[in-house]
Amino acid sequence: MKIKVSIIGASGYTGGELVRYLLKHPSVEISHLTSNSFAGKSIEKAHPSLVSCALKFETCDTDKIAKNSDLVFLCLPHAKSAKMVKEFLDRKVKVIDLSADFRIKSKSLYEKWYGAHPCPELLNRAVYGLCELYRKEIKGAALVANPGCYATATILSAFPLIKKGILKKGSLIVDAKSGTSGAGKKLETQYLFCEVNENFFAYALEGHRHWPEMRQVLGEDFTFVPHLLPIQRGILVTVYARLAKKMERSSLLSLYQEFYQGEPFVQLLPEGSFPQIRSVQHSNFCQIGVQGDSTGTQAIIVGVIDNLGKGASGQAVQNMNIMFQWEETRGLI
Amino acid sequence: MKIKVSIIGASGYTGGELVRYLLKHPSVEISHLTSNSFAGKSIEKAHPSLVSCALKFETCDTDKIAKNSDLVFLCLPHAKSAKMVKEFLDRKVKVIDLSADFRIKSKSLYEKWYGAHPCPELLNRAVYGLCELYRKEIKGAALVANPGCYATATILSAFPLIKKGILKKGSLIVDAKSGTSGAGKKLETQYLFCEVNENFFAYALEGHRHWPEMRQVLGEDFTFVPHLLPIQRGILVTVYARLAKKMERSSLLSLYQEFYQGEPFVQLLPEGSFPQIRSVQHSNFCQIGVQGDSTGTQAIIVGVIDNLGKGASGQAVQNMNIMFQWEETRGLI
Amino acid sequence: MKIKVSIIGASGYTGGELVRYLLKHPSVEISHLTSNSFAGKSIEKAHPSLVSCALKFETCDTDKIAKNSDLVFLCLPHAKSAKMVKEFLDRKVKVIDLSADFRIKSKSLYEKWYGAHPCPELLNRAVYGLCELYRKEIKGAALVANPGCYATATILSAFPLIKKGILKKGSLIVDAKSGTSGAGKKLETQYLFCEVNENFFAYALEGHRHWPEMRQVLGEDFTFVPHLLPIQRGILVTVYARLAKKMERSSLLSLYQEFYQGEPFVQLLPEGSFPQIRSVQHSNFCQIGVQGDSTGTQAIIVGVIDNLGKGASGQAVQNMNIMFQWEETRGLI
Amino acid sequence: MKIKVSIIGASGYTGGELVRYLLKHPSVEISHLTSNSFAGKSIEKAHPSLVSCALKFETCDTDKIAKNSDLVFLCLPHAKSAKMVKEFLDRKVKVIDLSADFRIKSKSLYEKWYGAHPCPELLNRAVYGLCELYRKEIKGAALVANPGCYATATILSAFPLIKKGILKKGSLIVDAKSGTSGAGKKLETQYLFCEVNENFFAYALEGHRHWPEMRQVLGEDFTFVPHLLPIQRGILVTVYARLAKKMERSSLLSLYQEFYQGEPFVQLLPEGSFPQIRSVQHSNFCQIGVQGDSTGTQAIIVGVIDNLGKGASGQAVQNMNIMFQWEETRGLI
């Protein structure tokens, strides 16, 4: 028995990636793909590699889609997404929302970074979909807020330090580097090939929108500086932390191994190895390398994900697998 | 004694490159740089590497600029350029126009590719600024139409075959590949980093706008297929031609060497060598490699230029040098 | 029931890609992976993305491998491959050879391009594994010579013209562009990042090793100029052909559609559309766009494949599927 | 009056860049270029863009070169360089050494990172050529040790904090990212196009060779993690520092502006602006952006240079200008 799923806003990079995953997923059938700009056109106009799948974009007819869908994925800009979430929840359709709208629990905090929230009354129904941390809550959820890409990489890399109580308060620094698809298909000069290619820079030094969502999970203030990489996909975070107590290098790695024991999508690298973005492209994996310094007082953690995989559409599928109580790796490996 | 020059439309890639050349040119002083979108801002907002030169963008006040300029370079879209050309010529200012507006002699042909021509009465005053072919005419010109980038690469690579009468009529094929800065800073999805990077494709198979300009100089129909390269700058053309009469490989090279004898910016490579785009980036050079086949009936010519150098701003400076009777390499080597 | 397969020379790019395909193939179990340089090491040392699959490289023990394998894939340099082919065929193991050793039927022709052939006596047992053309022969073969990447792209793009008798003899020109993984992991200065990146050039103008293999299938002399693209994977060929008789643009496309009717891995694009390399990366698809000129006397065909997919490992899997009489798309879509 | 200069080891990336600078330098004439692998060949075999300059590589005949040179630049691997330094100093030729051999004052520290030092007796004659810090010493020097690329970027970005006494001891973290030309033309798998392209990773987490050289100047332990960028040239360092005392954001910037007052090659960006690698490519500039956090207790400094410019050959020319008491920008702007 397959469930029926639809994607709202399917012409962007996360939408395309989601279609790719769902076409290979044995328990899912795609009902509707919507796109305002591509409505009526066949899918290869936006995603040329999908020419064989014979799908078409439609405009978003909520009633029709709700009737034909057990689950919808929303790949919409923030604020736009929240309204749509309400429409589908009201029609008893489960929702995985890839926007930022339901990631932050606090209405006021959300509004500081994103402007007015269209449906604050739903905030407390949403579960933050970082699978490795909130698996239990996701299982019963009708609305999952799929985490941001920077947030996923940062939290997976830094959280064990905090959870295990070995982070020295106030010492956490995350130097993050992201491929350009993280910005979506936005038509801005800064994302033109000739601006990104052979270039590299830091941005959002005043604060990045993913910060409050990470802060909420980590429960700690920290320094976060994102940079734009001249590559398509992939995020690498280099995490610097002072330790609350001295720790052997190997104990640090053991702590991480223990924390992620049995996790199908988190791969701890052996001592002395550090991950490349290459290793996780086109996958839902997160690879983490752990380094303690010789004095036992500092940890350097390097984590990588594919921003369109574990950082967006891959994790969305993982969330679906959890919600429908399938094995978590289905359609993902 | 320095002349005064201004650039109209200086915030794009050709404008930026022109400023770079002009700042190093010993006989030139920059009077005005105009840009609608950047007016009032300092130059590094559009060209961050030029932060030290303390120049600013202005709106285009024709009278003021004409008063302070011996020469203006127009880096404007077609049609917009033609109107401006008239304004400056009327005010006795020399013009080098980097748009397509005065490249094609025939009004009707122009209008087939570009739409209505705003100033057809000026068409016969313009000289086509392919320096190696029209040096004499450029010297006395008040209006020089700076050639297109594809046209420059193609004509320099193919013209000797035609001029020397050895091309078999109707056999010319030009397979052209261009870096993405050739498209300018246009905000179109197809020029986003994530669309161009790790990709490659042919386009304009129905016909490219530079075709009539090349046709006009070559005096021959030919096949032209452009492709978009995932690099910033540079054009490579691979020219295939049947020969009207059998020719030794070495004679073919000699013919090219003779044709370009003494040309400071055309470099013929030795037998068996073929140019890389790398070799001419950030320069005004054109490198050409010549290959005859073993039967003596076919020639393959490979030519490279920097589309922003010899294909645009470099050649514009070369044209200025010719117009003002300076040595042709001044400020360019 | 799964068959057992092994890969000889599995640490290179085609080897890695093959492992990726085989891990997802439902009818296959990997027995042995060999590599001289990585013997004893786990697979992620050469292919970091495969860290989870727990495979190891071994040295090549032919007897042992033959005992545990129904089929071996050889990803070895030419000449080295031929010797190994013999060893496995002698031990009744089927072979798909990704080297050039058994692609060319004529010993003398092979030796002109590659040097002495170690096992010429096997030349006539090999079937040329271009699936769309030689499906029937592949079915019964013990030894399949997997085609070269340039050859696959060129033949798929040009063959219909020849087979249907509409190519004007002697007019075929193939301008080919390949991503850098086509060169394998060879340690040569020309393949360093800093030499390839932001660069582009033509090479092998005196003749390319894949030429005789294409010539053999096409039955026609033709001009072939390869170029190196600054991308990882993908080949695009632009084919220029004069037609033996006048033909409407639409008839030309129909002819191709008819020729590839029912082929699961050849996608003909609609009139006016031309393929991007992006569309076939990480897949076994070939996309083809067909353009006739207005005079009805010339055809331009643009074809793209992934050089590691349809151009190597994907096609090798497709050949396996045919040999073992599974549906041809198994493990590939 | 021009001086005569020679380059020992001129076929690599720093050698090529140096030739490019020197050809435009009005006070310099190139006498000899040596290369073991390219001896007897013309310069374009290693540097195809320099085809017009008619220079040739020779083997290294020290006597002959010393006779014809007022200054030699050594672009050799460490240890090899030190021996050559001695030979030229003995012959009264000034030396700018681009290797690491004379950067570290302590013999034992050098030997910990690089192995036995061939000429420790010369260590105290060398001046560390970070122009902005050691201008006075460089002026009188016969031997200048040109700084490493990471060292240049890091020191220029972090030194003012230390010099001005506002760095909280032990808090300095430098997250560095370098283009691939920083590794030279080394033939290692990890520098192949297909390994670097679309990839990104941290390396040398156990310690990087440039660390002791930075440590020596900064006089402070600090954390340094380098990463490899998939671009040709450019380094960006993101420096994180706790402040010894609270400081307004604007005071922090003022402090840097004051420190670099009048420096021709250090460009402080205005408040809220941060540099791109693009801005300094092909130049000798260093751009720095300064950010204080809202609590006044932390500084984030972002610095960029071209690793082949200010990080190697550009700074070498700047050192020459200082040694010969020319204006410091000669040939560099």
Side-chain angles (χ1 to χ4, degrees), chain D residues 15 31 51 68 113 142 161 175 181 188 190 226 230 257 259 265 270 276 284 298 333:
Chain D
S31 284
V51 65
N68 293 319
W113 292 87
L161 296 172
D175 190 283
S181 63
E188 296 178 14
Q190 61 179 323
Q257 283 167 333
F259 189 87
F265 291 113
Q276 311 184 16
N284 192 50
Q298 191 189 26
I333 287 187

Side-chain angles (χ1 to χ4, degrees), chain C residues 51-113:
Chain C
V51 67
S52 291
C53 74
L55 293 168
K56 275 203 166 196
F57 294 110
E58 315 166 26
T59 53
C60 182
D61 176 336
T62 322
D63 280 324
K64 185 174 147 199
I65 292 171
K67 220 171 284 174
N68 292 320
S69 307
D70 300 293
L71 169 71
V72 296
F73 294 93
L74 304 185
C75 301
L76 296 171
H78 63 88
K80 289 202 180 163
S81 201
K83 281 178 228 160
M84 207 58 91
V85 164
K86 188 170 160 34
E87 300 212 31
F88 284 108
L89 286 184
D90 287 351
R91 285 165 178 79
K92 310 291 178 211
V93 181
K94 293 187 180 198
V95 175
I96 294 174
D97 179 18
L98 282 83
S99 88
D101 281 353
F102 296 96
R103 294 176 189 160
I104 301 171
K105 289 292 159 207
S106 151
K107 174 173 179 290
S108 61
L109 193 55
Y110 175 92
E111 300 196 331
K112 188 181 153 196
W113 292 87

Side-chain angles (χ1 to χ4, degrees), chain D residues 21-66:
Chain D
Y21 275 117
L22 295 175
L23 286 172
K24 298 190 179 183
H25 196 291
S27 310
V28 153
E29 182 185 319
I30 297 178
S31 284
H32 302 278
L33 303 178
T34 82
S35 162
N36 287 339
S37 38
F38 287 87
K41 294 185 182 159
S42 54
I43 193 167
E44 70 267 21
K45 295 294 172 190
H47 309 300
S49 71
L50 297 174
V51 65
S52 291
C53 74
L55 292 167
K56 278 203 162 193
F57 295 110
E58 316 164 27
T59 52
C60 183
D61 176 337
T62 323
D63 279 324
K64 186 174 145 199
I65 293 171

